[in-house]
């Protein structure tokens, strides 16, 4: 059964709506951990739209499960991660105007830039994953870059408009996971996963961890963070 990384960015989104202190991001992380989260994920965006530097620093100090920092390749952010040394980072593409991370990292196209960041962060013993589309060329480029882990982008699967399309996307995820595993890469997945669509992805062979944010934070509004995480964990079992 895959582990569950809970992404709490959108707790900070609600806080930033009033630029204040509540809801408290650290408290959300603690409740998620009490509910069974195996890790906590946050995305420190260049525009600091939700998670702020001080959130990441506080989480790094306080939580007892691994912190996974999602980040772009921007020099300032890479330098921040280098100083903070979270146990894990996930490198993602970032566009200013997007609502959320829209696609996978173009590792094959931006190879030297990615490999340079991987090399730099590896010096701090940080486990590095690359958020990529389930494509053979991206899996192979990720391996060549020196990253230890890939996170497969499940957005196309989650947003498929028909059962047929969803099946095809699931097949692509399975093939990419199997190739990555054969190359010695760890396999995570995430984006757009929710209580309805998560099970088939959780059943993909070699899946190590799923990172899920929006659906859990949304459910937490009604049942609380602890229970929202417990319910998702049950689906992964
Ligand atoms: N994994 C990565 C790399 C992401 O960028 C995101 C979105 O921030 C997620 C997982 C979580 O996606 P969602 O909020 O749709 O569950």
């Amino acid at each position: 059964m895959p582990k569950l990384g809970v992404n709490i960015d959108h707790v900070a989104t609600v806080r930033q709506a009033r630029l204040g202190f509540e809801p408290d991001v650290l408290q959300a992380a603690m409740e998620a951990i009490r509910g069974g989260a195996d890790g906590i994920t946050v995305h420190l965006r260049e525009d600091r739209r939700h998670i702020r530097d001080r959130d990441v620093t506080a989480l790094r100090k306080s939580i007892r499960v691994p912190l996974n920092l999602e980040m772009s390749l921007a020099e300032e952010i890479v330098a921040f991660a280098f100083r903070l040394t979270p146990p894990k980072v996930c490198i993602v593409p970032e566009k200013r105007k997007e609502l959320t991370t829209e696609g996978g990292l173009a590792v094959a196209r931006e190879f030297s830039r990615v490999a340079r960041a991987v090399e730099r962060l590896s010096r701090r013993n940080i486990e590095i994953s690359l958020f990529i589309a389930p494509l053979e060329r991206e899996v192979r480029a990720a391996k060549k870059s020196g990253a230890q882990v890939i996170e497969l982008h499940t957005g196309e699967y989650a947003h498929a408009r028909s059962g047929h399309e969803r099946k095809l996307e699931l097949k692509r995820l399975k093939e990419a996971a199997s190739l990555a595993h054969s190359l010695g890469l760890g396999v995570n997945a995430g984006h757009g996963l929710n209580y309805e669509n998560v099970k088939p992805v959780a059943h993909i062979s070699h899946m190590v961890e799923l990172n899920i944010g929006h659906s859990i934070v949304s459910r937490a509004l009604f049942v609380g963070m602890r229970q929202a995480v417990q319910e998702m964990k049950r689906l992964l079992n």
Side-chain angles (χ1 to χ4, degrees), residues 7 9-10 41 43 70 90 92 100-101 131 151 189-193 211-215:
N7 179 316
D9 290 349
H10 296 306
T41 297
H43 184 176
E70 276 181 25
C90 177
V92 303
T100 177
T101 316
F131 187 47
E151 178 163 330
H191 199 91
L193 297 177
N211 278 306
I212 307 181
H214 189 266
S215 62

Side-chain angles (χ1 to χ4, degrees), residues 166-207:
R166 180 160 293 192
K167 249 196 200 156
L168 285 179
E169 292 302 333
L170 189 62
K171 184 163 170 276
R172 287 188 341 131
L173 290 166
K174 284 180 182 167
E175 285 168 359
S178 151
L179 172 64
H181 179 74
S182 75
L183 296 174
L185 290 163
V187 186
N188 298 343
H191 199 91
L193 297 177
N194 60 35
Y195 296 84
E196 259 76 58
N197 66 19
V198 74
K199 271 193 169 177
V201 177
H203 281 120
I204 294 175
S205 308
H206 317 301
M207 196 53 78

